[in-house]
Structures are given as C-alpha cells and as structure tokens.
Amino acid sequence: MSQPPAKAIVKPIVIKPTLNAAAPSSDGRKALIGLSRDELYDELEPFGVQKFRARQLWHWIYFRGAKNFAEMTTLAKSLREELETHFTLERPTASRADKSSDGTRKWLFRFPDGQEIETVHIPEDDRGALCVSSQVGCTLTCSFCHTGTQTMVRNLGAGEIVAQVMAARDDLGEWPSPMSDRQISNIVMMGMGEPLLNYDNVAKALKIVMDGDGIAISRRRITLSTSGIVPLMERCGEELGVNLAVSLHAVRDDLRDELVPINRKYPIAQLLDACRKYPGANNARRITFEYVMLKGVNDSLSDARELVRLLADIPAKVNLIPFNPWPGVAYECSEGRQIVAFAKLLNDAGLSAPVRTPRGRDILAACGQLRTESQRQRKSRPADAGDDVAEKALSPSVE
Ligand code: SAH
Ligand code: SF4
C-alpha cells in the first residue's frame, strides 16, 4: 500500500479572516439580491416605496425570480423605471455550463470583478441538491483537497451566495418557487471555501434562501459542511438551525493535523464536544461526519473501530467519500473492498455509513477546477491542473 510522505503534505495553517467580500454590480447600480428584508425596505424608502410594496418586490425577486423591474407588473410603471435606473437584479454570468451524462450540472459563475466560483446541481429522481460555494478559494489547506491548493481570493458576499441559487434556478427553469417536485429541493454548503470562515455572509444568504415568501428552502433541507471551525458551530446551530456536516477524515489528532490542518487549532476532542452541543442535533436529525477514504492512510478497520468509539455518544451518521484524485496529489482512493469492509464495520456497530457515489465525473464537476481568472491566482498548481480532479462533495445525501 502506498503512503504519501507525511512531511511533504504538512502545510502551514493560513487564515485570513478579514478578507472582504462582494464585487460591485457590472454597471455601478446597487444590487438588491442579498439584502435582508430590512435593508431592502431602507433602500427603497427614499423612492417612496412603502413596506407593503417592498414586500411585493421581495416576492417578485425571490418567489417569481424576476430578472428586471419591468416584469413587476403590480408596481406602477414610473416606479419600475426609476428602480431600473438605480438598482439591479443581475446574476453572475455563467462563463461555462456543463451537463454530465448522469444529469449533474456544473456552472462556472463569474462575478463582475472577474472572480469565478463553481456551483453544482446533483439531480435525483424526485429531488436535487445544489452544491453552493462560500469563498473564492479557501484559506485552509487540507492536504487532499484541490481547492486548498488555490490562493484564497476573497469571501463571497451574501448576494453572491444567494445569486448562485437564483442563477441555477434560472437555468433549470424553476420559477416561480414550486411547492413540490423541486429540482433544487436541498442546498449543501459544500462548494469552494469554508462557510464558517465567511459566517456573516453565509448566514445572511441562508436566511434569504429560507424565507417562506421566496426561495423557501427549509433549514431541514440545508446542510452546511465545515472542516471544524469550533467557535462558530454553536452560533450556526442556534441562528440558522441547518443540518451540520463535519469533515472529520481521521480519528487521531496526529493524522488529522496533516489532513485537515485546522485540527491543530481545534483538535478532535474539542470538535466532537462542539458536535455534542450542536443545537438541534438529535437522533432524528443527526450530524453527518464526512470521512474521505484514503488508501493506506485512514482506511484500516482499526480506524473504523475508533470511529465507532468516538461517535458513540453523538447523534451521528457517517458519509464515506471515495477520494477523488487530482494531478500531483500523493494520495490514492481506498480499494473498493476496503471501503465496503469499513462501511460494514460501522453499520454492524449501528452507525449508518452510506458511501457517497461520485457524480458528474465526466464534466469534472468538482471544486478546484477553475480554469480562468481564479486559476491564475494559484500559488502551487500548474496552469493545466484542471484535469481529472474528481468530484468532491458532489453527491451529498439528499434528504
Ligand atoms: N470547506 C468545507 C466544505 C467544502 S468541502 C469542508 O471542508 O467541510 C466538502 C467536502 O469534500 C469536505 O468533507 C471535504 O473534506 C471533501 N473533499 C475535499 N477534497 C476532496 C477530495 N479530493 N476527494 C473527496 N472529498 C474531498
Ligand atoms: Fe477548504 Fe474544505 Fe477544501 Fe479544507 S476541504 S481546503 S476547508 S474547501
């Protein structure tokens, strides 16, 4: 079994929490997407727009998916024209859109400042998940993650996070917000970036996405994945009440320090303690522990036994993710039979442990595959490093 050289994969923890977010609109008009209800009222008040009219606007924007003010026929024509000169409802441009043979779609969205992120739609028979990005790049340097090799560029603003959902819905033709049979029934914050290191924007965006008179995706259908930013976990549970997924990936601190270097700051015991306290977690709403299967690194049956022991007193389920290799990476994916044996041990111990099926590989529907502006910012990957970076976080369990 090949084991990557441990020394070569240990990278320093780099966190730049002060990165600022959000590009201005392409023509200088103020973007309304991403404003809270109160902020929207405040913006519109100087134009003589009363609260009930502002509520109508909210409905047009987030329930009907209006792309411009001219469509808002319940508002006076003169008001629509005035709003059009001051405000915009623009979405990011899809610089690329691909569709996999399995139906998975990937968009490369470009913001007015030229930065790009990926958003992925993973359809299932009667539902579908949208994998949304929170940052351009990531400040954390998980050794098996391609996004972690990119230079962090900036946080996304709340509007840029919400606009990913809206632009995906535009493309899927899913307006007005359907009551049932949605193609985007679930949201997973599992795209590029660490959502809890851009907490304010992510929280603001998710509140807009959850608003019942709009996109209306309930907190029970939203999952936020974190590498373990312990101090923000409780707040996330209390304020947002979304499902939590935790990128555990190792059962010992020495190994997790290498794989997920933020572990040196918030080690396993602290992380699991925060999980025990996560508001709203119970046997009906379990915390998902993501565990990437790395051949000869973290996939032994004694690792599996230790995982069972660690999670014994937590309402937990495990998501085993076959590792997706990318050019230059030292890790390999565990053998299929090892993944099956690992999963069986967990299942026999009463831990649900589905194996995530890779989706959208043929269109490289993965984080860390940017080919244009953002790629030029990379520190350590060659310019052609967009080859088969297999899917990452692309087939979350959609519940
Ligand atoms: N930053 C957050 C969310 C984005 S990553 C986090 O780390 O949780 C979503 C999931 O994909 C995480 O569990 C991450 O560890 C996993 N992942 C990253 N690179 C991967 C790869 N090459 N193969 C398989 N899973 C990967
Ligand atoms: Fe960032 Fe998550 Fe990738 Fe780690 S796994 S580098 S936290 S995106």
Side-chain angles (χ1 to χ4, degrees), residues 138 142 144-146 189-195 225-227 245-247 249 290 292 321-326 356 390-393:
C138 186
C142 301
F144 54 90
C145 173
H146 203 197
M189 294 303 302
M190 293 187 184
M192 292 170 60
E194 167 48 59
S225 175
T226 180
S227 56
V246 171
S247 296
H249 305 316
E290 294 158 291
V292 63
I321 315 176
F323 169 65
N324 296 302
W326 35 272
R356 216 178 255 187
E391 69 80 45
K392 171 168 93 66

